[in-house]
PDB file of all heavy atoms in Angstrom:
ATOM      1  N   ALA A  41     -18.945  -2.527  16.588  1.00  0.00           N
ATOM      2  CA  ALA A  41     -19.374  -3.794  15.952  1.00  0.00           C
ATOM      3  C   ALA A  41     -18.960  -3.834  14.486  1.00  0.00           C
ATOM      4  O   ALA A  41     -18.448  -2.854  13.935  1.00  0.00           O
ATOM      5  CB  ALA A  41     -20.898  -3.938  16.022  1.00  0.00           C
ATOM      6  N   THR A  42     -19.110  -4.988  13.832  1.00  0.00           N
ATOM      7  CA  THR A  42     -18.817  -5.145  12.456  1.00  0.00           C
ATOM      8  C   THR A  42     -19.676  -4.204  11.602  1.00  0.00           C
ATOM      9  O   THR A  42     -20.839  -3.943  12.007  1.00  0.00           O
ATOM     10  CB  THR A  42     -19.102  -6.603  12.007  1.00  0.00           C
ATOM     11  OG1 THR A  42     -18.374  -7.482  12.822  1.00  0.00           O
ATOM     12  CG2 THR A  42     -18.737  -6.826  10.555  1.00  0.00           C
ATOM     13  N   LEU A  43     -19.093  -3.631  10.569  1.00  0.00           N
ATOM     14  CA  LEU A  43     -19.852  -2.667   9.737  1.00  0.00           C
ATOM     15  C   LEU A  43     -21.035  -3.363   9.061  1.00  0.00           C
ATOM     16  O   LEU A  43     -20.930  -4.540   8.636  1.00  0.00           O
ATOM     17  CB  LEU A  43     -18.958  -2.077   8.675  1.00  0.00           C
ATOM     18  CG  LEU A  43     -17.864  -1.203   9.200  1.00  0.00           C
ATOM     19  CD1 LEU A  43     -16.913  -0.773   8.091  1.00  0.00           C
ATOM     20  CD2 LEU A  43     -18.390   0.036   9.872  1.00  0.00           C
ATOM     21  N   ASP A  44     -22.140  -2.650   8.911  1.00  0.00           N
ATOM     22  CA  ASP A  44     -23.316  -3.159   8.207  1.00  0.00           C
ATOM     23  C   ASP A  44     -23.134  -2.949   6.708  1.00  0.00           C
ATOM     24  O   ASP A  44     -22.755  -1.864   6.260  1.00  0.00           O
ATOM     25  CB  ASP A  44     -24.519  -2.349   8.690  1.00  0.00           C
ATOM     26  CG  ASP A  44     -25.805  -2.757   7.964  1.00  0.00           C
ATOM     27  OD1 ASP A  44     -26.277  -3.816   8.199  1.00  0.00           O
ATOM     28  OD2 ASP A  44     -26.259  -1.930   7.146  1.00  0.00           O
ATOM     29  N   ARG A  45     -23.314  -4.013   5.932  1.00  0.00           N
ATOM     30  CA  ARG A  45     -23.063  -3.977   4.466  1.00  0.00           C
ATOM     31  C   ARG A  45     -23.820  -2.864   3.792  1.00  0.00           C
ATOM     32  O   ARG A  45     -23.307  -2.190   2.912  1.00  0.00           O
ATOM     33  CB  ARG A  45     -23.410  -5.360   3.912  1.00  0.00           C
ATOM     34  CG  ARG A  45     -23.422  -5.453   2.397  1.00  0.00           C
ATOM     35  CD  ARG A  45     -22.046  -5.739   1.880  1.00  0.00           C
ATOM     36  NE  ARG A  45     -22.004  -5.685   0.451  1.00  0.00           N
ATOM     37  CZ  ARG A  45     -21.633  -6.669  -0.311  1.00  0.00           C
ATOM     38  NH1 ARG A  45     -21.249  -7.760   0.207  1.00  0.00           N
ATOM     39  NH2 ARG A  45     -21.606  -6.565  -1.607  1.00  0.00           N
ATOM     40  N   SER A  46     -25.100  -2.692   4.158  1.00  0.00           N
ATOM     41  CA  SER A  46     -25.886  -1.645   3.510  1.00  0.00           C
ATOM     42  C   SER A  46     -25.338  -0.255   3.786  1.00  0.00           C
ATOM     43  O   SER A  46     -25.366   0.626   2.912  1.00  0.00           O
ATOM     44  CB  SER A  46     -27.351  -1.742   3.888  1.00  0.00           C
ATOM     45  OG  SER A  46     -27.536  -1.467   5.269  1.00  0.00           O
ATOM     46  N   GLN A  47     -24.851  -0.046   4.970  1.00  0.00           N
ATOM     47  CA  GLN A  47     -24.239   1.294   5.279  1.00  0.00           C
ATOM     48  C   GLN A  47     -22.960   1.487   4.518  1.00  0.00           C
ATOM     49  O   GLN A  47     -22.643   2.620   4.105  1.00  0.00           O
ATOM     50  CB  GLN A  47     -23.972   1.400   6.771  1.00  0.00           C
ATOM     51  CG  GLN A  47     -25.178   1.868   7.591  1.00  0.00           C
ATOM     52  CD  GLN A  47     -25.754   3.159   7.078  1.00  0.00           C
ATOM     53  OE1 GLN A  47     -26.882   3.198   6.624  1.00  0.00           O
ATOM     54  NE2 GLN A  47     -25.019   4.237   7.127  1.00  0.00           N
ATOM     55  N   VAL A  48     -22.111   0.461   4.359  1.00  0.00           N
ATOM     56  CA  VAL A  48     -20.891   0.530   3.581  1.00  0.00           C
ATOM     57  C   VAL A  48     -21.245   0.855   2.150  1.00  0.00           C
ATOM     58  O   VAL A  48     -20.640   1.767   1.557  1.00  0.00           O
ATOM     59  CB  VAL A  48     -20.094  -0.815   3.661  1.00  0.00           C
ATOM     60  CG1 VAL A  48     -18.923  -0.765   2.685  1.00  0.00           C
ATOM     61  CG2 VAL A  48     -19.586  -1.011   5.084  1.00  0.00           C
ATOM     62  N   ASP A  49     -22.232   0.185   1.592  1.00  0.00           N
ATOM     63  CA  ASP A  49     -22.670   0.469   0.215  1.00  0.00           C
ATOM     64  C   ASP A  49     -23.132   1.902   0.056  1.00  0.00           C
ATOM     65  O   ASP A  49     -22.800   2.608  -0.913  1.00  0.00           O
ATOM     66  CB  ASP A  49     -23.772  -0.500  -0.249  1.00  0.00           C
ATOM     67  CG  ASP A  49     -23.229  -1.935  -0.406  1.00  0.00           C
ATOM     68  OD1 ASP A  49     -21.990  -2.094  -0.577  1.00  0.00           O
ATOM     69  OD2 ASP A  49     -24.077  -2.842  -0.431  1.00  0.00           O
ATOM     70  N   LYS A  50     -23.928   2.353   1.038  1.00  0.00           N
ATOM     71  CA  LYS A  50     -24.454   3.732   1.004  1.00  0.00           C
ATOM     72  C   LYS A  50     -23.320   4.737   1.041  1.00  0.00           C
ATOM     73  O   LYS A  50     -23.291   5.708   0.255  1.00  0.00           O
ATOM     74  CB  LYS A  50     -25.445   3.968   2.142  1.00  0.00           C
ATOM     75  CG  LYS A  50     -26.021   5.329   2.196  1.00  0.00           C
ATOM     76  CD  LYS A  50     -26.918   5.498   3.403  1.00  0.00           C
ATOM     77  CE  LYS A  50     -27.433   6.929   3.487  1.00  0.00           C
ATOM     78  NZ  LYS A  50     -28.257   7.158   4.685  1.00  0.00           N
ATOM     79  N   THR A  51     -22.358   4.543   1.937  1.00  0.00           N
ATOM     80  CA  THR A  51     -21.247   5.433   2.057  1.00  0.00           C
ATOM     81  C   THR A  51     -20.407   5.452   0.785  1.00  0.00           C
ATOM     82  O   THR A  51     -19.964   6.490   0.308  1.00  0.00           O
ATOM     83  CB  THR A  51     -20.374   5.070   3.283  1.00  0.00           C
ATOM     84  OG1 THR A  51     -21.204   5.105   4.464  1.00  0.00           O
ATOM     85  CG2 THR A  51     -19.188   5.975   3.449  1.00  0.00           C
ATOM     86  N   LEU A  52     -20.181   4.262   0.216  1.00  0.00           N
ATOM     87  CA  LEU A  52     -19.400   4.196  -1.027  1.00  0.00           C
ATOM     88  C   LEU A  52     -20.133   4.966  -2.153  1.00  0.00           C
ATOM     89  O   LEU A  52     -19.482   5.626  -2.961  1.00  0.00           O
ATOM     90  CB  LEU A  52     -19.128   2.722  -1.402  1.00  0.00           C
ATOM     91  CG  LEU A  52     -18.287   2.536  -2.646  1.00  0.00           C
ATOM     92  CD1 LEU A  52     -16.888   3.136  -2.477  1.00  0.00           C
ATOM     93  CD2 LEU A  52     -18.168   1.072  -2.988  1.00  0.00           C
ATOM     94  N   ARG A  53     -21.438   4.810  -2.237  1.00  0.00           N
ATOM     95  CA  ARG A  53     -22.205   5.537  -3.229  1.00  0.00           C
ATOM     96  C   ARG A  53     -22.014   7.073  -3.038  1.00  0.00           C
ATOM     97  O   ARG A  53     -21.803   7.765  -4.023  1.00  0.00           O
ATOM     98  CB  ARG A  53     -23.684   5.190  -3.150  1.00  0.00           C
ATOM     99  CG  ARG A  53     -24.082   3.913  -3.847  1.00  0.00           C
ATOM    100  CD  ARG A  53     -25.550   3.750  -4.027  1.00  0.00           C
ATOM    101  NE  ARG A  53     -26.303   3.812  -2.768  1.00  0.00           N
ATOM    102  CZ  ARG A  53     -26.500   2.837  -1.895  1.00  0.00           C
ATOM    103  NH1 ARG A  53     -25.988   1.629  -2.215  1.00  0.00           N
ATOM    104  NH2 ARG A  53     -27.237   2.979  -0.811  1.00  0.00           N
ATOM    105  N   GLN A  54     -22.070   7.502  -1.813  1.00  0.00           N
ATOM    106  CA  GLN A  54     -21.926   8.941  -1.548  1.00  0.00           C
ATOM    107  C   GLN A  54     -20.500   9.416  -1.908  1.00  0.00           C
ATOM    108  O   GLN A  54     -20.339  10.463  -2.533  1.00  0.00           O
ATOM    109  CB  GLN A  54     -22.129   9.224  -0.033  1.00  0.00           C
ATOM    110  CG  GLN A  54     -23.583   9.054   0.344  1.00  0.00           C
ATOM    111  CD  GLN A  54     -23.794   9.118   1.883  1.00  0.00           C
ATOM    112  OE1 GLN A  54     -22.855   8.902   2.635  1.00  0.00           O
ATOM    113  NE2 GLN A  54     -25.046   9.380   2.296  1.00  0.00           N
TER     114      GLN A  54
END
Side-chain angles (χ1 to χ4, degrees):
T42 304
L43 294 174
D44 177 72
R45 172 85 186 239
S46 64
Q47 276 306 116
V48 171
D49 290 341
K50 180 181 176 184
T51 301
L52 183 62
R53 279 193 304 276
Q54 291 170 339

